[in-house]
Amino acid sequence: MNFPAKIAERLPVFGTRLAPSPSYRGLLPKLGLFHSRHQIREIFVGLPKAMALNLKGCNLGLNYTTRAVLPATEAHVEEAIEAIKEGKVIAVPTDTLYGFACDACSAEAVHRIYEIKGRKQTSPLAICVGDVVDIERFAVTDHLPCGLLDNLLPGPVTVVLMRGDSSILEKSLNPGLDSIGVRVPNSDFIRVIARGSGSALALTSANLSGQPSSVCIKDFENLWEHCKYVYDGGVLPSGRAGSTVVDLTRLGKYKILRPGSAMEETVAILQRHSLQEDDEAKDPR
């Protein structure tokens, strides 16, 4: 069949989701079949597996997948929460970069993130929680000055804390490490998902290990097929800097492990709470 792009955009919505084979992943989004800057389309077309679409002279072999590209809006929060509870991996915008997220207490889901990124299992993952008050469920906070975390978070900061004996995190997450990086992004979408999951989200940048970080979903288009859902929040303004990572494991001390996008503001807050720079802190990454 020959379907010009304008006709293809009007294809009826029914049946099973189709997605392009890996060699043609970049074409359909360019034609507007999956999403544009102002509108997200979900294309569900019931066609036999053997059938191929001919678009602008290119033969596209189509494979059945579970991939869905959706806007990062309140209307799609419930399905994201359900995917997390099912042990699936989703891609979401944060206040810095796009990230892969899953249930931090699901060993299988965490393993899947490592597979997607091609990352060594020895490289630790951070976690994301919905609110600052939730951090104490997963890490030790009672040694920190009153109000410090509330001044740092929500925001583009990852705080590294000791896990402690009372942490509800699975031992399989970052095995061998006593510390954990914790985020509360200044992004309502991912925070609502974290709250609804009843757990913490394991969170890492949405890219292959060693490749540039992603500020829009097109940056990691080759990895969409590995996610239950990909949530589009537009182009993020961080400039690929990522969050500022600060070690707060020692009483009265801090150590910047990664400058990130908010180092000056972070250091100012830390010093305002009388913390001193720690030359002895070790980078857990």
Side-chain angles (χ1 to χ4, degrees), residues 24-263:
Y24 295 101
R25 286 192 193 107
L27 183 55
L28 289 183
K30 291 178 182 177
L31 297 177
L33 291 180
F34 278 81
H35 80 282
S36 68
R37 183 175 179 180
H38 303 291
Q39 182 181 20
I40 302 293
R41 293 186 182 92
E42 288 188 81
I43 305 299
F44 295 82
V45 183
L47 293 174
K49 287 186 178 181
M51 186 174 292
L53 292 182
N54 186 311
L55 294 172
K56 290 190 174 182
C58 295
N59 293 318
L60 301 183
L62 299 178
N63 298 323
Y64 287 75
T65 77
T66 58
R67 187 178 72 193
V69 179
L70 302 168
T73 61
E74 183 180 356
H76 297 289
V77 163
E78 289 302 321
E79 57 205 351
I81 292 172
E82 191 62 30
I84 293 295
K85 290 181 176 180
E86 291 174 355
K88 306 298 184 182
V89 174
I90 61 174
V92 291
T94 72
D95 53 353
T96 54
L97 305 168
Y98 277 84
F100 293 132
C102 71
D103 183 355
C105 291
S106 168
E108 183 178 351
V110 169
H111 178 69
R112 181 63 176 149
I113 277 186
Y114 280 106
E115 285 187 331
I116 293 171
K117 285 181 64 72
R119 188 176 186 178
K120 295 180 180 179
Q121 298 276 347
T122 53
S123 299
L125 299 178
I127 63 170
C128 166
V129 296
D131 297 283
V132 174
V133 69
D134 296 325
I135 296 177
E136 62 186 27
R137 298 172 58 203
F138 305 95
V140 177
T141 62
D142 54 10
H143 65 296
L144 299 176
C146 181
L148 173 62
L149 292 180
D150 290 301
N151 285 327
L152 289 172
L153 304 167
V157 180
T158 300
V159 294
V160 177
L161 299 164
M162 299 302 291
R163 291 165 71 138
D165 296 333
S166 61
S167 174
I168 67 171
L169 283 176
E170 289 289 329
K171 301 297 184 183
S172 58
L173 180 68
N174 304 342
L177 286 180
D178 296 327
S179 60
I180 185 71
V182 186
R183 288 220 60 200
V184 185
N186 188 19
S187 173
D188 289 340
F189 186 72
I190 189 172
R191 291 177 65 194
V192 171
I193 295 171
R195 291 186 196 117
S197 73
S199 180
L201 305 180
L203 183 65
T204 185
S205 57
N207 60 318
L208 287 174
S209 185
Q211 295 300 308
S213 301
S214 300
V215 295
C216 69
I217 64 170
K218 290 285 289 180
D219 286 343
F220 61 99
E221 187 176 11
N222 59 319
L223 302 176
W224 287 1
E225 64 183 312
H226 303 297
C227 301
K228 177 69 174 179
Y229 299 111
V230 174
Y231 291 97
D232 189 355
V235 178
L236 305 180
S238 74
R240 305 184 195 275
S243 63
T244 296
V245 181
V246 55
D247 186 318
L248 297 177
T249 57
R250 298 186 68 196
L251 179 65
K253 303 286 186 177
Y254 78 88
K255 179 70 174 180
I256 300 296
L257 303 181
R258 183 177 72 191
S261 58
M263 187 178 77

